């Protein structure tokens, strides 16, 4: 069993729900010839994020992408990955029972104190100090399209 601290923190990572990528640099003209965007008009995740956080824009310039499909995929995936701030949990585990866990593993957490029921989490950090307990940090990655959402 995991013993969770009775608090949920919000990650300080920047939320991005509007992204523009300038790509296909022309050495002749010394500028980027093309751009692609991902925002609330092209992504349901970005639309929900915009309702929750307001517009959060980011602009990227790359000199190594020339293909439109690649630039579009990068824009969509970056918005999807960063459109919600993860909730973070910390806790301790008995080392003998859980030492097989590694950062990146997925676990399901249930806590009546935190109102969580089989909440899927990703282990983001594990601290081993040689004692009988392991300290863990877990991230709850939001997916409102799969789990439903409430913007109020």
């Amino acid at each position: 069993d995991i013993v969770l601290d009775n608090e949920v923190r919000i990650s300080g990572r920047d939320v991005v729900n509007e992204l523009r990528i300038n790509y296909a640099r022309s050495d002749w003209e010394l500028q980027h010839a093309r751009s692609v965007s991902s925002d609330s008009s092209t992504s349901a995740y970005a639309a929900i994020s915009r309702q929750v956080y307001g517009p959060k824009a980011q602009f990227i310039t790359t000199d190594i992408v020339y293909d439109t499909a690649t630039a579009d995929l990068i824009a969509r995936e970056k918005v999807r990955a960063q459109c919600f701030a993860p909730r973070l949990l910390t806790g301790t585990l008995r080392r003998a029972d859980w030492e097989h866990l590694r950062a990146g593993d997925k676990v399901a957490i249930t806590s009546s104190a935190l109102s969580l029921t089989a909440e899927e989490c990703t282990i983001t950090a594990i601290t081993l100090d040689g004692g009988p307990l392991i300290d863990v940090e877990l991230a709850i990655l939001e997916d409102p399209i799969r789990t439903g959402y409430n913007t109020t």
Side-chain angles (χ1 to χ4, degrees):
D1 291 335
I2 185 171
V3 177
L4 292 172
D5 300 335
N6 285 329
E7 83 174 1
V8 177
R9 296 176 291 119
I10 303 297
S11 169
R13 182 183 79 187
D14 289 339
V15 169
V16 176
N17 54 33
E18 297 177 5
L19 180 68
R20 180 184 173 121
I21 298 177
N22 295 320
Y23 68 102
R25 179 175 163 77
S26 167
D27 288 335
W28 181 258
E29 296 179 17
L30 301 177
Q31 63 183 4
H32 293 83
R34 299 183 197 144
S35 68
V36 66
S37 297
S38 182
D39 57 28
S40 59
S41 68
T42 60
S43 165
Y45 286 103
I48 296 167
S49 175
R50 187 181 174 116
Q51 289 177 335
V52 174
Y53 300 105
K56 301 290 184 183
Q58 187 177 72
F59 301 92
I60 297 174
T61 299
T62 179
D63 294 342
I64 61 172
V65 175
Y66 287 84
D67 178 63
T68 300
T70 301
D72 186 53
L73 179 64
I74 292 168
R76 285 186 288 118
E77 290 300 316
K78 186 164 177 64
V79 165
R80 171 64 189 98
Q82 291 187 262
C83 64
F84 296 96
R87 293 179 287 161
L88 303 175
L89 307 170
T90 55
T92 55
L93 302 166
R94 286 188 38 213
R95 183 179 188 149
D97 297 334
W98 299 102
E99 66 185 346
H100 64 279
L101 292 176
R102 300 288 178 258
D105 287 352
K106 302 266 190 217
V107 295
I109 299 294
T110 298
S111 169
S112 58
L114 297 174
S115 301
L116 301 174
T117 304
E119 188 74 43
E120 185 177 297
C121 301
T122 301
I123 298 173
T124 57
I126 295 177
T127 304
L128 304 169
D129 62 5
L133 299 177
I134 300 171
D135 293 326
V136 294
E137 181 181 79
L138 307 161
I140 300 172
L141 305 175
E142 304 295 333
D143 192 338
I145 291 177
R146 289 187 184 166
T147 61
Y149 64 96
N150 183 358
T151 60
T152 58

